[in-house]
Amino acid sequence: MIRSKRKTALTTIIGAQRAICTLLLLTAAELVTGQQYEPLIITCDSNDHFSDRCQLNGPFVQATASITQATLEAEETIEDDSQSQRSLWWEWTAPRDGWVDLKASSETFTPALSAFKGQSLSLLSQLDGVALEAEATSEESGLSFQVQSGESIQIAVQGPIESSGMVALEIVLRPINDGFQNRTLISLDENQIYLGSNEFATTENGEPDHN
């Protein structure tokens, strides 16, 4: 199981002889560029049908929509042991390669979350991902998988007929150098500055304890 490691440490390396570690309140940053990005917050009003799915972009997105009046289309795949009768749809375009974490939550029911490739409801191909562990007190479901730059991912949240209220969808594209195999090479030339945040980073199976 991948364990979340969401901290706010930022390391600045200056020159070849010294490293300075500073704590900053960052939401996220890309290593090397040091470019900070804030969540893109979107409210979707009419994403009941696949054809009306809400369009999302960016590495960090928080979207909400009401499932109260939502319906299930005839061609939809039911993900929740035939109990789902309502659904909401989003389409997210990956800004770069990497691992993405999807989370859906509600205060009234546990959403059934799924992700697909394809542009036609009848021809969608479901993505196999790693289920994310939900908090014990949360009505939440999560999924993690790899994406490629420019790839469009169709996201569905389903619920039973009695489901109502707002559904919150969070999309987080992990830092570029989250995994060991994607580590970033650092050149310690004089006056080189590297900025990065491990916000949204995760630990891998077999990774040593850094505490």
Side-chain angles (χ1 to χ4, degrees), residues 86-137:
R86 301 188 188 281
S87 69
L88 297 169
W89 286 93
W90 294 264
E91 179 176 315
W92 174 72
T93 302
R96 60 168 171 79
D97 296 355
W99 277 86
V100 64
D101 295 338
L102 306 181
K103 289 186 178 181
S105 60
S106 170
E107 294 183 353
T108 59
F109 70 103
T110 301
L113 174 66
S114 52
F116 307 84
K117 290 183 182 180
Q119 294 295 320
S120 173
L121 181 58
S122 60
L123 299 174
L124 291 179
S125 175
Q126 187 165 0
L127 295 173
D128 293 327
V130 179
L132 298 177
E133 186 175 355
E135 298 179 9
T137 59

mmCIF file of all heavy atoms in Angstrom, residues 86-137:
data_model
loop_
_atom_site.group_PDB
_atom_site.id
_atom_site.type_symbol
_atom_site.label_atom_id
_atom_site.label_comp_id
_atom_site.label_asym_id
_atom_site.label_seq_id
_atom_site.Cartn_x
_atom_site.Cartn_y
_atom_site.Cartn_z
ATOM 1 N N ARG A 86 -27.329 6.793 -9.980
ATOM 2 C CA ARG A 86 -27.017 8.184 -10.287
ATOM 3 C C ARG A 86 -25.531 8.275 -10.640
ATOM 4 O O ARG A 86 -24.709 7.520 -10.123
ATOM 5 C CB ARG A 86 -27.314 9.101 -9.088
ATOM 6 C CG ARG A 86 -28.767 9.068 -8.615
ATOM 7 C CD ARG A 86 -29.013 10.153 -7.563
ATOM 8 N NE ARG A 86 -30.325 10.039 -6.966
ATOM 9 C CZ ARG A 86 -31.466 10.448 -7.519
ATOM 10 N NH1 ARG A 86 -31.435 11.021 -8.717
ATOM 11 N NH2 ARG A 86 -32.614 10.313 -6.910
ATOM 12 N N SER A 87 -25.185 9.230 -11.515
ATOM 13 C CA SER A 87 -23.778 9.386 -11.880
ATOM 14 C C SER A 87 -23.471 10.821 -12.289
ATOM 15 O O SER A 87 -24.349 11.559 -12.740
ATOM 16 C CB SER A 87 -23.396 8.437 -13.021
ATOM 17 O OG SER A 87 -24.024 8.830 -14.235
ATOM 18 N N LEU A 88 -22.198 11.186 -12.126
ATOM 19 C CA LEU A 88 -21.656 12.465 -12.558
ATOM 20 C C LEU A 88 -20.402 12.197 -13.374
ATOM 21 O O LEU A 88 -19.684 11.219 -13.119
ATOM 22 C CB LEU A 88 -21.314 13.356 -11.354
ATOM 23 C CG LEU A 88 -22.481 13.779 -10.457
ATOM 24 C CD1 LEU A 88 -21.950 14.424 -9.184
ATOM 25 C CD2 LEU A 88 -23.404 14.740 -11.192
ATOM 26 N N TRP A 89 -20.104 13.081 -14.343
ATOM 27 C CA TRP A 89 -18.977 12.862 -15.249
ATOM 28 C C TRP A 89 -18.065 14.082 -15.339
ATOM 29 O O TRP A 89 -18.533 15.224 -15.360
ATOM 30 C CB TRP A 89 -19.481 12.520 -16.650
ATOM 31 C CG TRP A 89 -20.034 11.142 -16.777
ATOM 32 C CD1 TRP A 89 -21.351 10.767 -16.637
ATOM 33 C CD2 TRP A 89 -19.308 9.949 -17.076
ATOM 34 N NE1 TRP A 89 -21.477 9.413 -16.823
ATOM 35 C CE2 TRP A 89 -20.237 8.879 -17.105
ATOM 36 C CE3 TRP A 89 -17.951 9.671 -17.329
ATOM 37 C CZ2 TRP A 89 -19.859 7.578 -17.366
ATOM 38 C CZ3 TRP A 89 -17.573 8.368 -17.583
ATOM 39 C CH2 TRP A 89 -18.514 7.330 -17.603
ATOM 40 N N TRP A 90 -16.757 13.803 -15.401
ATOM 41 C CA TRP A 90 -15.738 14.820 -15.652
ATOM 42 C C TRP A 90 -14.757 14.280 -16.691
ATOM 43 O O TRP A 90 -14.602 13.066 -16.850
ATOM 44 C CB TRP A 90 -14.936 15.146 -14.394
ATOM 45 C CG TRP A 90 -15.686 15.801 -13.289
ATOM 46 C CD1 TRP A 90 -15.762 17.151 -13.022
ATOM 47 C CD2 TRP A 90 -16.446 15.161 -12.240
ATOM 48 N NE1 TRP A 90 -16.524 17.375 -11.891
ATOM 49 C CE2 TRP A 90 -16.956 16.171 -11.396
ATOM 50 C CE3 TRP A 90 -16.748 13.823 -11.943
ATOM 51 C CZ2 TRP A 90 -17.723 15.902 -10.279
ATOM 52 C CZ3 TRP A 90 -17.520 13.543 -10.837
ATOM 53 C CH2 TRP A 90 -18.009 14.575 -10.018
ATOM 54 N N GLU A 91 -14.079 15.185 -17.384
ATOM 55 C CA GLU A 91 -12.954 14.817 -18.246
ATOM 56 C C GLU A 91 -11.748 15.651 -17.844
ATOM 57 O O GLU A 91 -11.823 16.887 -17.821
ATOM 58 C CB GLU A 91 -13.274 15.042 -19.725
ATOM 59 C CG GLU A 91 -12.099 14.688 -20.645
ATOM 60 C CD GLU A 91 -12.444 14.827 -22.126
ATOM 61 O OE1 GLU A 91 -13.527 14.360 -22.536
ATOM 62 O OE2 GLU A 91 -11.638 15.425 -22.864
ATOM 63 N N TRP A 92 -10.649 14.977 -17.529
ATOM 64 C CA TRP A 92 -9.422 15.657 -17.116
ATOM 65 C C TRP A 92 -8.320 15.362 -18.117
ATOM 66 O O TRP A 92 -8.121 14.220 -18.527
ATOM 67 C CB TRP A 92 -9.005 15.194 -15.726
ATOM 68 C CG TRP A 92 -7.676 15.742 -15.272
ATOM 69 C CD1 TRP A 92 -7.394 17.023 -14.899
ATOM 70 C CD2 TRP A 92 -6.446 15.007 -15.147
ATOM 71 N NE1 TRP A 92 -6.072 17.138 -14.541
ATOM 72 C CE2 TRP A 92 -5.458 15.917 -14.686
ATOM 73 C CE3 TRP A 92 -6.085 13.684 -15.378
ATOM 74 C CZ2 TRP A 92 -4.144 15.533 -14.455
ATOM 75 C CZ3 TRP A 92 -4.772 13.300 -15.145
ATOM 76 C CH2 TRP A 92 -3.820 14.215 -14.687
ATOM 77 N N THR A 93 -7.592 16.402 -18.545
ATOM 78 C CA THR A 93 -6.475 16.252 -19.473
ATOM 79 C C THR A 93 -5.158 16.405 -18.718
ATOM 80 O O THR A 93 -4.930 17.433 -18.054
ATOM 81 C CB THR A 93 -6.546 17.299 -20.596
ATOM 82 O OG1 THR A 93 -7.798 17.163 -21.280
ATOM 83 C CG2 THR A 93 -5.407 17.098 -21.586
ATOM 84 N N ALA A 94 -4.310 15.393 -18.797
ATOM 85 C CA ALA A 94 -3.045 15.393 -18.066
ATOM 86 C C ALA A 94 -2.075 16.415 -18.656
ATOM 87 O O ALA A 94 -1.814 16.397 -19.861
ATOM 88 C CB ALA A 94 -2.418 14.001 -18.103
ATOM 89 N N PRO A 95 -1.507 17.305 -17.841
ATOM 90 C CA PRO A 95 -0.559 18.301 -18.351
ATOM 91 C C PRO A 95 0.843 17.732 -18.590
ATOM 92 O O PRO A 95 1.656 18.352 -19.272
ATOM 93 C CB PRO A 95 -0.539 19.367 -17.256
ATOM 94 C CG PRO A 95 -0.875 18.624 -16.009
ATOM 95 C CD PRO A 95 -1.840 17.545 -16.425
ATOM 96 N N ARG A 96 1.141 16.567 -18.034
ATOM 97 C CA ARG A 96 2.449 15.922 -18.207
ATOM 98 C C ARG A 96 2.331 14.458 -17.799
ATOM 99 O O ARG A 96 1.298 14.012 -17.290
ATOM 100 C CB ARG A 96 3.525 16.622 -17.377
ATOM 101 C CG ARG A 96 3.253 16.640 -15.879
ATOM 102 C CD ARG A 96 4.473 17.076 -15.089
ATOM 103 N NE ARG A 96 4.177 17.308 -13.691
ATOM 104 C CZ ARG A 96 4.057 16.351 -12.773
ATOM 105 N NH1 ARG A 96 4.194 15.077 -13.125
ATOM 106 N NH2 ARG A 96 3.788 16.660 -11.519
ATOM 107 N N ASP A 97 3.408 13.707 -18.039
ATOM 108 C CA ASP A 97 3.467 12.313 -17.615
ATOM 109 C C ASP A 97 3.542 12.243 -16.086
ATOM 110 O O ASP A 97 4.047 13.156 -15.430
ATOM 111 C CB ASP A 97 4.706 11.616 -18.184
ATOM 112 C CG ASP A 97 4.689 11.536 -19.711
ATOM 113 O OD1 ASP A 97 3.670 11.946 -20.314
ATOM 114 O OD2 ASP A 97 5.689 11.067 -20.282
ATOM 115 N N GLY A 98 3.068 11.121 -15.527
ATOM 116 C CA GLY A 98 3.216 10.919 -14.087
ATOM 117 C C GLY A 98 2.109 10.067 -13.509
ATOM 118 O O GLY A 98 1.271 9.507 -14.222
ATOM 119 N N TRP A 99 2.131 9.961 -12.185
ATOM 120 C CA TRP A 99 1.078 9.268 -11.443
ATOM 121 C C TRP A 99 0.056 10.289 -10.971
ATOM 122 O O TRP A 99 0.419 11.352 -10.463
ATOM 123 C CB TRP A 99 1.666 8.549 -10.232
ATOM 124 C CG TRP A 99 2.252 7.209 -10.551
ATOM 125 C CD1 TRP A 99 3.510 6.940 -10.988
ATOM 126 C CD2 TRP A 99 1.579 5.952 -10.455
ATOM 127 N NE1 TRP A 99 3.680 5.590 -11.179
ATOM 128 C CE2 TRP A 99 2.512 4.950 -10.854
ATOM 129 C CE3 TRP A 99 0.303 5.552 -10.079
ATOM 130 C CZ2 TRP A 99 2.201 3.594 -10.887
ATOM 131 C CZ3 TRP A 99 -0.013 4.202 -10.098
ATOM 132 C CH2 TRP A 99 0.925 3.246 -10.500
ATOM 133 N N VAL A 100 -1.212 9.956 -11.127
ATOM 134 C CA VAL A 100 -2.279 10.845 -10.674
ATOM 135 C C VAL A 100 -3.117 10.136 -9.611
ATOM 136 O O VAL A 100 -3.356 8.936 -9.683
ATOM 137 C CB VAL A 100 -3.175 11.299 -11.858
ATOM 138 C CG1 VAL A 100 -3.904 10.115 -12.487
ATOM 139 C CG2 VAL A 100 -4.168 12.366 -11.413
ATOM 140 N N ASP A 101 -3.522 10.894 -8.614
ATOM 141 C CA ASP A 101 -4.405 10.391 -7.559
ATOM 142 C C ASP A 101 -5.772 11.053 -7.709
ATOM 143 O O ASP A 101 -5.866 12.288 -7.765
ATOM 144 C CB ASP A 101 -3.852 10.714 -6.168
ATOM 145 C CG ASP A 101 -2.535 10.002 -5.882
ATOM 146 O OD1 ASP A 101 -2.272 8.975 -6.533
ATOM 147 O OD2 ASP A 101 -1.787 10.477 -4.997
ATOM 148 N N LEU A 102 -6.816 10.241 -7.779
ATOM 149 C CA LEU A 102 -8.194 10.735 -7.816
ATOM 150 C C LEU A 102 -8.871 10.398 -6.499
ATOM 151 O O LEU A 102 -8.737 9.267 -6.003
ATOM 152 C CB LEU A 102 -8.987 10.095 -8.957
ATOM 153 C CG LEU A 102 -8.431 10.160 -10.376
ATOM 154 C CD1 LEU A 102 -9.394 9.479 -11.340
ATOM 155 C CD2 LEU A 102 -8.174 11.591 -10.798
ATOM 156 N N LYS A 103 -9.615 11.337 -5.958
ATOM 157 C CA LYS A 103 -10.401 11.080 -4.754
ATOM 158 C C LYS A 103 -11.781 11.699 -4.911
ATOM 159 O O LYS A 103 -11.915 12.837 -5.368
ATOM 160 C CB LYS A 103 -9.708 11.649 -3.511
ATOM 161 C CG LYS A 103 -8.465 10.896 -3.096
ATOM 162 C CD LYS A 103 -7.918 11.418 -1.776
ATOM 163 C CE LYS A 103 -6.694 10.637 -1.334
ATOM 164 N NZ LYS A 103 -6.167 11.134 -0.032
ATOM 165 N N ALA A 104 -12.808 10.932 -4.549
ATOM 166 C CA ALA A 104 -14.182 11.422 -4.567
ATOM 167 C C ALA A 104 -14.773 11.245 -3.170
ATOM 168 O O ALA A 104 -14.591 10.194 -2.546
ATOM 169 C CB ALA A 104 -15.023 10.665 -5.591
ATOM 170 N N SER A 105 -15.469 12.265 -2.698
ATOM 171 C CA SER A 105 -16.034 12.202 -1.345
ATOM 172 C C SER A 105 -17.396 12.868 -1.308
ATOM 173 O O SER A 105 -17.748 13.690 -2.154
ATOM 174 C CB SER A 105 -15.083 12.875 -0.340
ATOM 175 O OG SER A 105 -14.875 14.236 -0.680
ATOM 176 N N SER A 106 -18.158 12.484 -0.307
ATOM 177 C CA SER A 106 -19.487 13.040 -0.083
ATOM 178 C C SER A 106 -19.810 12.933 1.400
ATOM 179 O O SER A 106 -19.271 12.079 2.105
ATOM 180 C CB SER A 106 -20.531 12.288 -0.901
ATOM 181 O OG SER A 106 -21.839 12.668 -0.520
ATOM 182 N N GLU A 107 -20.682 13.793 1.876
ATOM 183 C CA GLU A 107 -21.092 13.738 3.277
ATOM 184 C C GLU A 107 -22.250 12.776 3.497
ATOM 185 O O GLU A 107 -22.595 12.477 4.643
ATOM 186 C CB GLU A 107 -21.485 15.134 3.764
ATOM 187 C CG GLU A 107 -20.332 16.119 3.807
ATOM 188 C CD GLU A 107 -20.736 17.472 4.359
ATOM 189 O OE1 GLU A 107 -21.961 17.662 4.587
ATOM 190 O OE2 GLU A 107 -19.856 18.328 4.569
ATOM 191 N N THR A 108 -22.861 12.262 2.427
ATOM 192 C CA THR A 108 -24.074 11.453 2.575
ATOM 193 C C THR A 108 -23.936 10.008 2.097
ATOM 194 O O THR A 108 -24.766 9.176 2.433
ATOM 195 C CB THR A 108 -25.237 12.109 1.816
ATOM 196 O OG1 THR A 108 -24.887 12.229 0.428
ATOM 197 C CG2 THR A 108 -25.534 13.504 2.382
ATOM 198 N N PHE A 109 -22.901 9.695 1.294
ATOM 199 C CA PHE A 109 -22.737 8.326 0.799
ATOM 200 C C PHE A 109 -21.292 8.133 0.358
ATOM 201 O O PHE A 109 -20.540 9.105 0.224
ATOM 202 C CB PHE A 109 -23.689 8.046 -0.376
ATOM 203 C CG PHE A 109 -23.320 8.777 -1.635
ATOM 204 C CD1 PHE A 109 -22.679 8.118 -2.683
ATOM 205 C CD2 PHE A 109 -23.601 10.137 -1.794
ATOM 206 C CE1 PHE A 109 -22.322 8.795 -3.841
ATOM 207 C CE2 PHE A 109 -23.256 10.813 -2.960
ATOM 208 C CZ PHE A 109 -22.616 10.144 -3.980
ATOM 209 N N THR A 110 -20.890 6.875 0.173
ATOM 210 C CA THR A 110 -19.548 6.586 -0.321
ATOM 211 C C THR A 110 -19.585 6.487 -1.841
ATOM 212 O O THR A 110 -20.190 5.561 -2.388
ATOM 213 C CB THR A 110 -19.013 5.263 0.262
ATOM 214 O OG1 THR A 110 -18.987 5.356 1.693
ATOM 215 C CG2 THR A 110 -17.597 4.991 -0.238
ATOM 216 N N PRO A 111 -18.984 7.414 -2.559
ATOM 217 C CA PRO A 111 -19.052 7.407 -4.019
ATOM 218 C C PRO A 111 -18.322 6.200 -4.617
ATOM 219 O O PRO A 111 -17.311 5.740 -4.081
ATOM 220 C CB PRO A 111 -18.343 8.711 -4.413
ATOM 221 C CG PRO A 111 -18.318 9.538 -3.179
ATOM 222 C CD PRO A 111 -18.224 8.572 -2.047
ATOM 223 N N ALA A 112 -18.850 5.701 -5.724
ATOM 224 C CA ALA A 112 -18.163 4.683 -6.518
ATOM 225 C C ALA A 112 -17.398 5.423 -7.610
ATOM 226 O O ALA A 112 -17.994 6.005 -8.507
ATOM 227 C CB ALA A 112 -19.153 3.700 -7.113
ATOM 228 N N LEU A 113 -16.072 5.399 -7.527
ATOM 229 C CA LEU A 113 -15.218 6.182 -8.424
ATOM 230 C C LEU A 113 -14.574 5.275 -9.468
ATOM 231 O O LEU A 113 -14.065 4.199 -9.145
ATOM 232 C CB LEU A 113 -14.126 6.877 -7.609
ATOM 233 C CG LEU A 113 -13.040 7.640 -8.367
ATOM 234 C CD1 LEU A 113 -13.630 8.848 -9.091
ATOM 235 C CD2 LEU A 113 -11.941 8.072 -7.405
ATOM 236 N N SER A 114 -14.584 5.710 -10.718
ATOM 237 C CA SER A 114 -13.943 4.942 -11.789
ATOM 238 C C SER A 114 -13.400 5.892 -12.839
ATOM 239 O O SER A 114 -13.840 7.037 -12.963
ATOM 240 C CB SER A 114 -14.917 3.936 -12.414
ATOM 241 O OG SER A 114 -16.118 4.571 -12.799
ATOM 242 N N ALA A 115 -12.419 5.411 -13.618
ATOM 243 C CA ALA A 115 -11.771 6.222 -14.644
ATOM 244 C C ALA A 115 -11.661 5.423 -15.933
ATOM 245 O O ALA A 115 -11.474 4.196 -15.906
ATOM 246 C CB ALA A 115 -10.401 6.680 -14.166
ATOM 247 N N PHE A 116 -11.749 6.130 -17.062
ATOM 248 C CA PHE A 116 -11.802 5.472 -18.365
ATOM 249 C C PHE A 116 -10.984 6.247 -19.389
ATOM 250 O O PHE A 116 -10.691 7.432 -19.220
ATOM 251 C CB PHE A 116 -13.246 5.376 -18.882
ATOM 252 C CG PHE A 116 -14.217 4.758 -17.940
ATOM 253 C CD1 PHE A 116 -14.834 5.518 -16.944
ATOM 254 C CD2 PHE A 116 -14.542 3.405 -18.042
ATOM 255 C CE1 PHE A 116 -15.747 4.953 -16.081
ATOM 256 C CE2 PHE A 116 -15.452 2.839 -17.185
ATOM 257 C CZ PHE A 116 -16.054 3.600 -16.196
ATOM 258 N N LYS A 117 -10.671 5.578 -20.495
ATOM 259 C CA LYS A 117 -10.162 6.216 -21.705
ATOM 260 C C LYS A 117 -11.222 6.082 -22.784
ATOM 261 O O LYS A 117 -11.973 5.106 -22.811
ATOM 262 C CB LYS A 117 -8.855 5.568 -22.165
ATOM 263 C CG LYS A 117 -7.659 5.827 -21.280
ATOM 264 C CD LYS A 117 -6.409 5.191 -21.881
ATOM 265 C CE LYS A 117 -5.197 5.399 -20.997
ATOM 266 N NZ LYS A 117 -3.981 4.767 -21.582
ATOM 267 N N GLY A 118 -11.265 7.050 -23.689
ATOM 268 C CA GLY A 118 -12.233 6.998 -24.777
ATOM 269 C C GLY A 118 -13.066 8.260 -24.844
ATOM 270 O O GLY A 118 -13.157 9.011 -23.877
ATOM 271 N N GLN A 119 -13.701 8.488 -25.977
ATOM 272 C CA GLN A 119 -14.505 9.680 -26.187
ATOM 273 C C GLN A 119 -15.971 9.368 -26.450
ATOM 274 O O GLN A 119 -16.765 10.269 -26.696
ATOM 275 C CB GLN A 119 -13.935 10.482 -27.367
ATOM 276 C CG GLN A 119 -12.542 11.061 -27.111
ATOM 277 C CD GLN A 119 -12.545 12.097 -26.011
ATOM 278 O OE1 GLN A 119 -13.454 12.915 -25.908
ATOM 279 N NE2 GLN A 119 -11.523 12.070 -25.161
ATOM 280 N N SER A 120 -16.333 8.089 -26.389
ATOM 281 C CA SER A 120 -17.721 7.673 -26.601
ATOM 282 C C SER A 120 -18.153 6.799 -25.429
ATOM 283 O O SER A 120 -17.420 5.879 -25.021
ATOM 284 C CB SER A 120 -17.850 6.892 -27.911
ATOM 285 O OG SER A 120 -19.150 6.347 -28.043
ATOM 286 N N LEU A 121 -19.317 7.067 -24.885
ATOM 287 C CA LEU A 121 -19.780 6.335 -23.708
ATOM 288 C C LEU A 121 -19.852 4.837 -23.963
ATOM 289 O O LEU A 121 -19.503 4.035 -23.092
ATOM 290 C CB LEU A 121 -21.156 6.872 -23.288
ATOM 291 C CG LEU A 121 -21.787 6.227 -22.046
ATOM 292 C CD1 LEU A 121 -20.888 6.372 -20.838
ATOM 293 C CD2 LEU A 121 -23.162 6.843 -21.784
ATOM 294 N N SER A 122 -20.246 4.447 -25.144
ATOM 295 C CA SER A 122 -20.400 3.025 -25.439
ATOM 296 C C SER A 122 -19.075 2.318 -25.707
ATOM 297 O O SER A 122 -19.023 1.088 -25.749
ATOM 298 C CB SER A 122 -21.326 2.839 -26.647
ATOM 299 O OG SER A 122 -20.786 3.477 -27.799
ATOM 300 N N LEU A 123 -18.004 3.098 -25.894
ATOM 301 C CA LEU A 123 -16.711 2.509 -26.243
ATOM 302 C C LEU A 123 -15.627 2.820 -25.213
ATOM 303 O O LEU A 123 -14.435 2.730 -25.519
ATOM 304 C CB LEU A 123 -16.253 3.010 -27.621
ATOM 305 C CG LEU A 123 -17.163 2.662 -28.806
ATOM 306 C CD1 LEU A 123 -16.660 3.334 -30.077
ATOM 307 C CD2 LEU A 123 -17.247 1.146 -28.988
ATOM 308 N N LEU A 124 -16.003 3.156 -24.017
ATOM 309 C CA LEU A 124 -15.022 3.481 -22.990
ATOM 310 C C LEU A 124 -14.259 2.241 -22.550
ATOM 311 O O LEU A 124 -14.809 1.140 -22.466
ATOM 312 C CB LEU A 124 -15.717 4.100 -21.772
ATOM 313 C CG LEU A 124 -16.326 5.496 -21.955
ATOM 314 C CD1 LEU A 124 -16.985 5.954 -20.672
ATOM 315 C CD2 LEU A 124 -15.273 6.497 -22.412
ATOM 316 N N SER A 125 -12.971 2.446 -22.239
ATOM 317 C CA SER A 125 -12.112 1.385 -21.714
ATOM 318 C C SER A 125 -11.719 1.751 -20.291
ATOM 319 O O SER A 125 -11.057 2.765 -20.066
ATOM 320 C CB SER A 125 -10.870 1.233 -22.597
ATOM 321 O OG SER A 125 -9.977 0.294 -22.056
ATOM 322 N N GLN A 126 -12.127 0.928 -19.335
ATOM 323 C CA GLN A 126 -11.868 1.263 -17.937
ATOM 324 C C GLN A 126 -10.395 1.083 -17.584
ATOM 325 O O GLN A 126 -9.741 0.139 -18.025
ATOM 326 C CB GLN A 126 -12.728 0.414 -17.009
ATOM 327 C CG GLN A 126 -12.627 0.832 -15.543
ATOM 328 C CD GLN A 126 -13.729 0.239 -14.697
ATOM 329 O OE1 GLN A 126 -14.579 -0.501 -15.197
ATOM 330 N NE2 GLN A 126 -13.734 0.549 -13.417
ATOM 331 N N LEU A 127 -9.872 2.001 -16.772
ATOM 332 C CA LEU A 127 -8.486 1.955 -16.347
ATOM 333 C C LEU A 127 -8.339 1.145 -15.069
ATOM 334 O O LEU A 127 -9.127 1.297 -14.126
ATOM 335 C CB LEU A 127 -7.961 3.375 -16.113
ATOM 336 C CG LEU A 127 -7.881 4.278 -17.338
ATOM 337 C CD1 LEU A 127 -7.517 5.700 -16.918
ATOM 338 C CD2 LEU A 127 -6.854 3.750 -18.326
ATOM 339 N N ASP A 128 -7.331 0.290 -15.053
ATOM 340 C CA ASP A 128 -6.991 -0.426 -13.828
ATOM 341 C C ASP A 128 -6.055 0.444 -13.013
ATOM 342 O O ASP A 128 -5.031 0.908 -13.506
ATOM 343 C CB ASP A 128 -6.313 -1.756 -14.151
ATOM 344 C CG ASP A 128 -7.265 -2.742 -14.825
ATOM 345 O OD1 ASP A 128 -8.460 -2.707 -14.489
ATOM 346 O OD2 ASP A 128 -6.800 -3.513 -15.676
ATOM 347 N N GLY A 129 -6.381 0.677 -11.782
ATOM 348 C CA GLY A 129 -5.543 1.513 -10.929
ATOM 349 C C GLY A 129 -5.377 0.909 -9.564
ATOM 350 O O GLY A 129 -5.908 -0.171 -9.262
ATOM 351 N N VAL A 130 -4.630 1.603 -8.737
ATOM 352 C CA VAL A 130 -4.410 1.191 -7.355
ATOM 353 C C VAL A 130 -5.406 1.929 -6.475
ATOM 354 O O VAL A 130 -5.489 3.162 -6.518
ATOM 355 C CB VAL A 130 -2.969 1.509 -6.915
ATOM 356 C CG1 VAL A 130 -2.755 1.105 -5.463
ATOM 357 C CG2 VAL A 130 -1.966 0.816 -7.822
ATOM 358 N N ALA A 131 -6.183 1.191 -5.694
ATOM 359 C CA ALA A 131 -7.146 1.826 -4.801
ATOM 360 C C ALA A 131 -6.415 2.554 -3.691
ATOM 361 O O ALA A 131 -5.456 2.040 -3.104
ATOM 362 C CB ALA A 131 -8.090 0.775 -4.219
ATOM 363 N N LEU A 132 -6.855 3.787 -3.399
ATOM 364 C CA LEU A 132 -6.269 4.581 -2.323
ATOM 365 C C LEU A 132 -7.058 4.357 -1.045
ATOM 366 O O LEU A 132 -8.289 4.284 -1.052
ATOM 367 C CB LEU A 132 -6.281 6.068 -2.690
ATOM 368 C CG LEU A 132 -5.468 6.463 -3.922
ATOM 369 C CD1 LEU A 132 -5.643 7.953 -4.205
ATOM 370 C CD2 LEU A 132 -4.001 6.135 -3.729
ATOM 371 N N GLU A 133 -6.348 4.261 0.058
ATOM 372 C CA GLU A 133 -6.990 4.013 1.343
ATOM 373 C C GLU A 133 -7.702 5.273 1.821
ATOM 374 O O GLU A 133 -7.111 6.356 1.875
ATOM 375 C CB GLU A 133 -5.952 3.571 2.371
ATOM 376 C CG GLU A 133 -6.544 3.161 3.702
ATOM 377 C CD GLU A 133 -5.488 2.611 4.648
ATOM 378 O OE1 GLU A 133 -4.326 2.474 4.220
ATOM 379 O OE2 GLU A 133 -5.831 2.314 5.800
ATOM 380 N N ALA A 134 -8.970 5.137 2.173
ATOM 381 C CA ALA A 134 -9.755 6.275 2.646
ATOM 382 C C ALA A 134 -9.565 6.467 4.144
ATOM 383 O O ALA A 134 -9.212 5.531 4.876
ATOM 384 C CB ALA A 134 -11.237 6.063 2.343
ATOM 385 N N GLU A 135 -9.772 7.693 4.608
ATOM 386 C CA GLU A 135 -9.726 7.956 6.030
ATOM 387 C C GLU A 135 -10.883 7.247 6.721
ATOM 388 O O GLU A 135 -11.965 7.084 6.156
ATOM 389 C CB GLU A 135 -9.812 9.464 6.287
ATOM 390 C CG GLU A 135 -8.654 10.253 5.695
ATOM 391 C CD GLU A 135 -8.791 11.737 5.950
ATOM 392 O OE1 GLU A 135 -9.694 12.116 6.727
ATOM 393 O OE2 GLU A 135 -7.995 12.513 5.389
ATOM 394 N N ALA A 136 -10.647 6.828 7.942
ATOM 395 C CA ALA A 136 -11.633 6.014 8.670
ATOM 396 C C ALA A 136 -12.959 6.727 8.853
ATOM 397 O O ALA A 136 -14.016 6.101 8.877
ATOM 398 C CB ALA A 136 -11.059 5.604 10.028
ATOM 399 N N THR A 137 -12.925 8.034 8.978
ATOM 400 C CA THR A 137 -14.148 8.804 9.238
ATOM 401 C C THR A 137 -14.711 9.453 7.977
ATOM 402 O O THR A 137 -15.610 10.274 8.050
ATOM 403 C CB THR A 137 -13.868 9.897 10.282
ATOM 404 O OG1 THR A 137 -12.821 10.751 9.785
ATOM 405 C CG2 THR A 137 -13.420 9.283 11.598
#
